Amino acid sequence: MSIKFSRSERSTIGIEWELQLIDKDSFDLRQCASAVIEEVECLHPQNSLVHREMLLNTVEVISRPRRNVRDCVMDLTEGINLVRPVTSALRVELAAAGSHPFANPSYQQVTDSKRYEELVNRTQYWGRQMLLFGTHVHVGVEDRDKVLPIQNYLTSKLGHIQALFASSPYWAGVDTGYCDNRAMVFQQLPTAGKPYQFETWEELEDFTSGMLKTGVIDSFDQVRWDIRPSPKFGTIEARVADASSTLKEVAACAALTQALVETASRQLDAGKELPVLPDWFVRENRWRAARYGMEAILIEDAEGEEELLTDSLPAWLEELSPAAEDLGCAEELWSLLDIVKLGVGYQRQRTIFERTNSYEAVVAFLVAEMEAGEPLDPAHFVDKSLHKSGVKGWKVRAR
């Protein structure tokens, strides 16, 4: 089978951000995505920024193809502004994280689509557990011969990206002990999880032919690796990150991905070989990042050298800085240090729960962060917002 890789401009970028629809009164998920989308489309017939997703508790906002992260963020903001008047009328808030802290996966309704119906029918129990939310970043690659080497290079950093944007510690009212439980659930789908590392495009085409012939997939779009080529758009798509709760973190994720791809592309232009990891190290890093998050000691090279992510991060950002400067995303890239200092998504959620013993309080915090557009100090939020004045009249309730 021949897979055509569409033409795209080098290191252009696009973002997809999956948002939760939160009931203002119960802080549970609301199954109202169809009503929201229909109203948005009625009010804005030319809408291209707000989309349906698999579950009716989710809307996705996307950016247009852009040259820099800042313009993507403006598009996401525009999409959110289309949604908010509609959700407000329904007494629904917007929030984002890799999972909802206490929603029951069994109660979630699937969008009326043959594609999603077949997915759930085939995967049964695990297909019904896909109560997951992600941030997906597309980066343009101008030469098909670069795609797989760059994908394999990004795969060597899969655990790093995963830990930095992990935001799914809770699942159906339980602390899973993981920082990124979304990764552990999503890998149960037969075509999801760790990418295969192919050396040639022909190997990818042979893989796809076999998957099509045996009925595993109906199209390459059904390959749901954490990092994958997207031939239709001419991009590499990084799907590893949990949905971040703020635009600032989404921008940082996009900047990191864009700078990684451009740095790798420059190495290839210079005739250099990109570093990769053996599959067994990639698998181990993926698990360590899911389990330990920012405390993960990750395998850095094929020789098995290891380093704590918080120790390796500053030097890694320095390495990516030349590309980030040229792409206009250095500020967003370096904001990672501030985010890590305050606490990444799962850390902030756990601080809220430790202080309140309330999953509703965690959801209220996610809603507040979404509105603020940047990470909030969870200790300050509990002291000032919850216990004193409440969040829009709501008081902390222990579960």
Side-chain angles (χ1 to χ4, degrees), residues 241-315:
D242 283 358
S244 293
S245 56
T246 71
L247 270 170
K248 181 174 181 177
E249 290 165 291
V250 171
C253 179
L256 177 62
T257 308
Q258 188 185 31
L260 277 166
V261 172
E262 175 60 24
T263 298
S265 192
R266 293 179 182 191
Q267 293 284 88
L268 292 174
D269 289 344
K272 298 179 181 179
E273 188 172 340
L274 294 173
V276 295
L277 286 182
D279 281 341
W280 49 92
F281 284 170
V282 173
R283 184 179 298 277
E284 177 64 16
N285 272 354
R286 189 177 185 277
W287 183 85
R288 292 184 187 184
R291 173 65 178 85
Y292 299 109
M294 293 304 298
E295 296 179 4
I297 299 173
L298 296 175
I299 304 166
E300 296 290 339
D301 56 37
E303 287 68 46
E305 296 299 320
E306 300 171 293
E307 193 168 6
L308 185 67
L309 177 55
T310 50
D311 292 340
S312 64
L313 183 60

Side-chain angles (χ1 to χ4, degrees), residues 15-18 133-137 165 182 238-244 249-250 253-254:
I15 305 173
E16 304 166 358
W17 189 21
E18 295 171 348
F133 308 85
T135 302
H136 302 167
V137 181
F165 300 100
R182 169 179 168 268
R239 304 160 50 87
V240 60
D242 283 358
S244 293
E249 290 165 291
V250 171
C253 179

Side-chain angles (χ1 to χ4, degrees), residues 23 33 95 127 178 273 275 335 365:
D23 184 273
Y178 283 77
E273 188 172 340
S335 73
F365 179 71

Side-chain angles (χ1 to χ4, degrees), residues 317-384:
L317 297 184
E318 285 285 0
E319 179 185 330
L320 299 176
S321 281
E325 289 284 354
D326 293 342
L327 294 168
C329 64
E331 180 180 346
E332 291 85 356
L333 179 70
W334 282 96
S335 73
L336 278 168
L337 293 183
D338 292 333
I339 293 167
V340 168
K341 184 177 180 180
L342 179 62
V344 303
Y346 76 88
Q347 292 172 320
R348 302 196 304 275
Q349 289 182 47
R350 282 204 167 123
T351 298
I352 293 290
F353 187 80
E354 287 165 4
R355 287 172 171 258
T356 65
N357 193 37
S358 168
Y359 288 119
E360 288 92 345
V362 176
V363 178
F365 179 71
L366 295 174
V367 169
E369 286 204 316
M370 178 81 181
E371 292 178 349
E374 62 182 5
L376 301 176
D377 182 340
H380 183 271
F381 179 79
V382 170
D383 293 340
K384 303 297 182 182

Side-chain angles (χ1 to χ4, degrees), residues 56-76:
L56 290 177
N57 56 43
T58 310
V59 295
E60 181 184 64
V61 291
I62 70 170
S63 74
R64 302 172 178 91
R66 296 292 195 178
R67 294 183 181 276
N68 61 66
V69 171
R70 197 165 290 110
D71 287 343
C72 287
V73 170
M74 291 176 62
D75 288 344
L76 296 178

